[in-house]
Amino acid sequence: MTFYQKWNGDLKISSLRAAYMQGVSPIQVLETLVERIQAYGMVQPPVWIRLIGKEAILDEARKAINAYPDKMQRPSLFGVPFSVKDNIDVQGLPTTTACPPLTRRATKSAPIVDRLRDQGAILIGKTNLEQLATGMTGCRSPYGTLSCYGNIDFIVGGSSSGSCISVRAGLVSFSLGSDTAGSGRIPAAFNGIVGWKATKGTVSCSGITPASQSQDCVAVLANNVSDARTVWDVIKGYDPDDIYAKPSYCLTVSPKEPTHVFAVPPAEALEACSQGFRRMFGLVISHLVKYGWQFEVIDWSAFEDAGKLLYEGTFVAERIAGLPDAWLENHQDQLHPDIREIFIKTIENPKTAVDVFKDLHAQQHYIRCAEQILSKFDFLLVPTAPTHLKISEVLADPIKKNLALGDFVHFANVLDLCAINIPAGSLYPWQLSSDEVPVEGSSARGEVFQRLPFGVTLLGTRYHDSELLAFANEIEQTALNAIRL
């Protein structure tokens, strides 16, 4: 019989490293996680599209233990469990992108998966997502609809819904998702975890089913900023097989001189938020000011107009361009109804190639405007989402409600910004439309509710990823850690 040191159950990467140094075995951790996954499957079955078998996972752990008997020589992610969104290739496994007719069996893994495994990370499984990674509600998967962690009436967010829940429910240490229009940041905000996307082209998207290939990014879902940075340090870098990859030297640009001043949207932009989310955002700002930060309101027009390019301009057609030739004409009845409606409307749209170039030119103009505006700030701060919707609200008006969630996320990739969502407190569901301050432990109305997480996003100019993560870590540990409602 093998005896292990007792593990406290903490899956944060730094905690696992410490536990392994103290004699906890990855086998012990993974056996516990298998039990957790089985138990949580009774709560929300649709988290996973495919799980790796228990024996295969334990075999990976044994290989890692044998390969690194010296605890001091272990790689950065030794024994760290992770999941991937099922639009990311893993050799030998199907990639469904939540669209069964487009399922393919991967002949090789995405480079980012290989990099993680080379550093000792252990893959647990592939997670649910909205079909073709198109959506931000989590309500568009043939494999089932997830809900917000701890509150079954509210949306989980998407499209990286399963990846987010696998982290929030304590089933893995981190997960890889994708983020084209907010698909990593939105679910992270709705479930109280960190969602990070680097500057476009600085993390390989090879081996990932394209959504809008020119705008796609990898998302890292993690428990804190430190873990997100640890994963990013492993997966970042130039990939010659990624046609949108940027040279590695881009991330070595000289850092800006810190100002301790951040930018915020004007009041009229924040009117898109529910009362509760506006109040929460104001609370975050006030806490940052208490910790020595200053802020300025900026001209929002370039950010608003850039965001509209994704779904209200011609860029949405790129989602169809990513499908095999003639596939849509022959298989549209096999698509989720919401996805089918979006694609058919796009095809029927009378816009021309001239309009595409006009939008591309507009994009470059907005990028230049945003760079000039943000050049004097450490970062731009926004509420990640304008509100948190109920599943029933989305199902009643799925296209409009989904689009409304994008006010503060859609522009990021269009403007080539890096971005990170950080948890920033919580509120009761009834506070979404109220300015009342809750009584801790129960609502002022005598009702008992599971609180809904609130998240803010920090955005930085392209290639200043490392600086943005440093600011995010500082704020996470100080001002945001101090928020208590």
Side-chain angles (χ1 to χ4, degrees), residues 23-71:
V24 172
S25 169
I27 293 175
Q28 177 188 4
V29 171
L30 295 171
E31 286 179 334
T32 301
L33 289 188
V34 170
E35 294 176 359
R36 282 189 192 177
I37 290 168
Q38 290 174 343
Y40 196 74
M42 302 296 291
V43 180
Q44 293 215 72
V47 174
W48 306 94
I49 290 179
R50 179 173 294 270
L51 279 164
I52 309 297
K54 177 179 178 179
E55 287 308 313
I57 293 172
L58 295 180
D59 186 53
E60 287 297 310
R62 295 185 189 100
K63 289 179 181 177
I65 292 168
N66 292 333
Y68 300 101
D70 185 348
K71 295 178 183 179

Side-chain angles (χ1 to χ4, degrees), residues 156-470:
V156 63
S159 62
S160 304
S161 49
S163 287
C164 181
I165 293 297
S166 70
V167 175
R168 181 61 183 88
L171 310 180
V172 293
S173 294
F174 69 90
S175 186
L176 296 183
S178 58
D179 190 318
T180 303
S183 289
R185 289 161 284 155
I186 288 288
F190 286 165
N191 294 276
I193 65 170
V194 166
W196 158 246
K197 62 147 240 78
T199 300
K200 283 190 303 185
T202 58
V203 175
S204 172
C205 283
S206 295
I208 302 177
T209 307
S212 294
Q213 193 170 4
S214 67
Q215 307 301 324
D216 289 345
C217 284
V218 172
V220 177
L221 291 310
N223 286 296
N224 54 31
V225 176
S226 175
D227 281 7
R229 179 161 199 147
T230 297
V231 175
W232 176 65
D233 283 338
V234 172
I235 63 176
K236 68 182 179 182
Y238 178 71
D239 174 14
D241 294 326
D242 181 350
I243 62 173
Y244 284 100
K246 293 169 181 170
S248 295
Y249 63 73
C250 289
L251 290 176
T252 63
V253 295
S254 299
K256 296 189 294 185
E257 188 69 28
T259 64
H260 248 54
V261 180
F262 61 93
V264 297
E268 55 267 27
L270 295 172
E271 289 177 0
C273 297
S274 63
Q275 291 181 29
F277 270 35
R278 283 200 301 273
R279 185 175 64 83
M280 290 297 297
F281 189 59
L283 183 66
V284 170
I285 292 174
S286 66
H287 274 265
L288 286 170
V289 170
K290 288 178 182 178
Y291 278 83
W293 291 85
Q294 296 177 314
F295 69 95
E296 291 184 21
V297 176
I298 58 171
D299 181 354
W300 194 244
S301 56
F303 300 90
E304 181 179 5
D305 292 341
K308 291 178 180 178
L309 287 177
L310 273 186
Y311 289 107
E312 299 177 49
T314 60
F315 285 15
V316 67
E318 189 175 18
R319 292 186 179 267
I320 299 174
L323 298 172
D325 292 342
W327 188 91
L328 184 59
E329 291 86 340
N330 297 322
H331 297 87
Q332 61 180 255
D333 290 342
Q334 296 174 278
L335 289 173
H336 186 281
D338 296 350
I339 308 298
R340 182 168 63 246
E341 180 179 343
I342 293 168
F343 286 2
I344 290 175
K345 284 185 176 180
T346 301
I347 292 173
E348 294 175 348
N349 193 314
K351 290 184 181 291
T352 67
V354 172
D355 295 312
V356 175
F357 279 102
K358 286 182 178 179
D359 283 353
L360 288 171
H361 298 161
Q363 179 188 18
Q364 293 306 310
H365 170 68
Y366 300 145
I367 288 173
R368 185 59 55 85
C369 289
E371 286 180 337
Q372 291 173 347
I373 291 170
L374 297 180
S375 62
K376 66 176 184 176
F377 300 106
D378 288 339
F379 54 84
L380 167 64
L381 183 76
V382 299
T384 304
T387 191
H388 199 158
L389 299 169
K390 287 185 175 182
I391 294 174
S392 59
E393 293 177 287
V394 171
L395 295 181
D397 194 359
I399 306 297
K400 184 177 179 180
K401 293 298 186 183
N402 185 87
L403 186 64
L405 291 175
D407 286 353
F408 303 106
V409 290
H410 280 170
F411 61 79
N413 286 356
V414 176
L415 297 179
D416 213 3
L417 305 175
C418 48
I420 184 166
N421 170 80
I422 313 175
S426 62
L427 69 170
Y428 290 108
W430 56 263
Q431 288 183 287
L432 291 171
S433 57
S434 171
D435 285 329
E436 296 181 57
V437 178
V439 177
E440 190 63 46
S442 64
S443 82
R445 301 179 182 181
E447 301 163 324
V448 177
F449 285 114
Q450 176 68 40
R451 298 168 77 98
L452 296 171
F454 174 75
V456 293
T457 292
L458 283 65
L459 300 109
T461 52
R462 56 184 168 185
Y463 311 137
H464 291 276
D465 303 53
S466 184
E467 297 160 65
L468 185 69
L469 284 167

